[in-house]
Structure formats: structure tokens, C-alpha cells
Amino acid sequence: MVHSFDIETEAQGLVEFVDASPTPFHACEQVAARLRQAGFTPVAETDPFPTRPGAYFLVRGGSLVAWDNSGADAAGAGLAAGFRVVGAHTDSPNLRIKPRPDHTRAGWQLLGVEPYGGLLLNSWLDRDLGLAGRVAVRTAAGPQSRLFHDPRSLLRVPQLAIHLDRSVNDRLELNRQLHLEPVWGLGPAPADFRAYVGEQVGAEPADVLGWDVMTYPTEPSARLGRHGELVAAPRLDNLATTYAAVRALLDVAGRAGRQVPVVVLFDHEEVGSMSERGAMSTVLPSVLERLVLAGGGSRDDYWRALAATVIASGDMAHATHPNYVDRHEPEHQIAMNGGPVLKINTNLRYATDSRGEAAFRLACEQAGVPMQTFVVRSDLPCGSTVGPMTAALTGATTVDFGAPMLSMHSARELCGAQDPAGYAGALAAFLAPAG
Ligand code: ZN
């Protein structure tokens, strides 16, 4: 089975997906819209699990699980072949709005923000920022969640002029409490953020019961490079993997296969994954278990299915930086547009072992895309991701992988324009392995 994805289509598709997904909630909404359009049926977690094989998805806040068991015999013996799971995360480092954000200083209206995740603080300076998020609104039927995405440039964290700090180019010090507050207006009185949020979701200020609102850079994503070889965009970590995983699932949906293809998109990866919907939660195991039980299988069948399952956990990978080549392992250089990246760390910051590597290598071979291998320098600490957690929670063979990028955790990141197509191809082959 050959999975071919057009380079230009996927690069453009990635740009549109990223720009439409300023928050994890919007990423899930965007994915849900694409799945619905392809015939996937939404499942509410509070409803009985569907017993009829088919293509479904479930959303838990900023996390989403989608699967298609229409091609497999869901009951008992069929699931002995297990699941093929591709994982990614929907959240990215950003500045999030505090509960009591309004205050003034020196004639400015400021908004209190709290950094979320390990952001490169300097990259948020002097950027035009917008607001988007989820709001809990009082209704007669109880609290209701509403999303908003305000496309306007509303905020800016202004950098201090060089004349007032001559040492700034040698050493930039940013205090997370003092120096990251965005301005969003002028005047002696504080603005009313609650009223603003109410306007955005069509509610009276008194009916705004809570919010998960965050800032995002409003500059649209763009192609970059002499020949457009690159994509400059925010949130590529990890919306680039999220996008490719969904494209791959849509490609294999409806095709008969021995394993059931599953895509899981987690929120909260950037802050440790310990939440009701993060990778440490029940969001993935509960779906896999309910899938087996609803198909007529037993709890024993569930554990049998897990034992045969392979999980590919995707998070972006560090391409070799031309200005800092010494930060990279000399024998494991990673090239932009050089293909998907397998990540290995013997201290288990990545879950990959030789069995997982085999599954991922075969998928790349099947898709006809080159594969690269990342190892961090032995004298540098290694980043981590949700692969080891998912492996521990499920007991399934797990492989960590990514796509090459620069400027990870910057407000504006950089990836290859050719990589999204190969990435989606490799993941489609992983979800539906030949033979
Ligand atoms: Zn990531």
C-alpha cells in the first residue's frame, strides 16, 4: 500500500491548520471538523460506547482520540492483532491570562499573564498578539463551554529600548513576573477583561464563570527560503505532528487492516501531562478498553490487544542548527526536509527500543521516505515527551519520533516545507502496516 501525499498540498494544509488553531481547544475543533467531514462520528464520553464498528472520535477538553475499526473484526480474536496508535500533543508554550488580569501602570492598561510551558521568553517580545480560548458561561441549563478566536492584534510585550539598557545584547534578563506583561490600552482606569471575554462569547460579564484564555502571535504563517523550502509558523511543536497524524488517519480510514488505527492528541504535554486529559490520564487507555469491551471482547481480550499494540509517539525534533553545530551529536545530524526523525535515548527520555524502531523503520520504508535518527549529545540533558508515559500506562511497544525543526518553543518556529508530506506518508504506513 503506497501512501502518497502531495508536498505543496500538505505544506499549505499545515499552514492553514496552524493559523486556525491558536489554542489546544481550537486544534481539537479543527481536527473534529476534518474528521466529521470524512464521515467520522463524534462520541460523547458520557454516552454508551458505540458497538457498531466504524470511524469515531471523542474529545476531552484539549485532547482528542480518533479511531476506525470498520476494517477490523472488533470482537475478540480480531483485536488480538492490537492497535496501531499515533500520538501527538495539541498544546504549545504561550502566555496565558491570569484570573484577575486588569491593572494599570504609568498610564497604561496591562494584562496579567502567566507563562505556560518552557517558552523562549525573548521570542514573545515586540510581537503583535491576539487572544483566544475557552470560556465557561452561565446558562439556564448549567455552565456551558464556548470557544473564541479574536483575530485582531490586541496586545504587545514591548521590549525596553537599547538606550535604556546598553548591556541587553550581551545579556537579556527577563523576569517572568515583571517583564512579560502585555499592554492592551491606554488610560487611567483598568480595562475590564471579563467584559471583553463576555463580548467574545455573547455573554454578560456576570455570566462569565471562568476562562482558559491565552495569547497567540497574530502574524500569519508563511513559506520562507529562496525556493520556499521552509515553513515559518507558531506552534509547529506540536501541531505539525498533530496535522500529519490526522492526515494519515484520514488516508487509511475505511481500509481493511489487521490492526485498528488510532490517533491520540494530548493536551498539557508542555507542563508535564498530569491532568484529566494529559498523557498520564485515562484518555487513551479508556478508549482502547471500551473499544474492546463494546466489540464483545473481554477484559482479557483488552490486555491481549495491548500486548500486540505498537504506539508511535510524535513530537518535533531538533534539526541541526547551522550557527550552533556543536550543540548536536556529530554522527546524528538532522537535516530539514530530510524525513521523519526517530528519537533514541538510552536513559529513556524517549521510549524507543529496537522493537519500536523496527516498526517505525518499516513504516518509513513502506512509505518510501528517508528516516533520520536523533540522539542528544552525551554531555547535554535530553528533552522528553509523552512516549515513556504512554508506554508505562499501556505496556505497549512504543517509539518516539518527530519531524525536523529549528527554534523549538519560540513564538515563531521553522520547519521544512517538504517534510509534512513525507511525515504524513510515514504515519499512514505506520497506522496500516503492510502484511
Ligand atoms: Zn512538543
Side-chain angles (χ1 to χ4, degrees), residues 23 25 96-97 132-136 145 148 210-214 277:
T23 78
F25 310 110
R96 301 196 171 185
I97 310 305
R134 184 177 70 166
V135 182
S145 286
F148 78 91
W211 59 68
D212 309 294
V213 176
M214 48 204 87
R277 58 182 185 266

Side-chain angles (χ1 to χ4, degrees), residues 101-162:
D102 293 305
H103 58 285
T104 59
R105 199 181 303 123
W108 290 91
Q109 293 169 328
L110 299 154
L111 212 47
V113 292
E114 187 172 12
Y116 172 88
L119 62 180
L120 276 172
L121 297 177
N122 66 298
S123 70
W124 286 79
L125 302 177
D126 292 345
R127 272 186 206 278
D128 303 341
L129 303 176
L131 288 164
R134 184 177 70 166
V135 182
V137 175
R138 186 197 322 269
T139 74
Q144 185 190 64
S145 286
R146 294 182 191 164
L147 302 191
F148 78 91
H149 176 181
D150 189 339
R152 295 174 294 171
S153 294
L154 299 164
L155 306 165
R156 179 176 174 119
V157 185
Q159 185 159 208
L160 184 66
I162 190 168

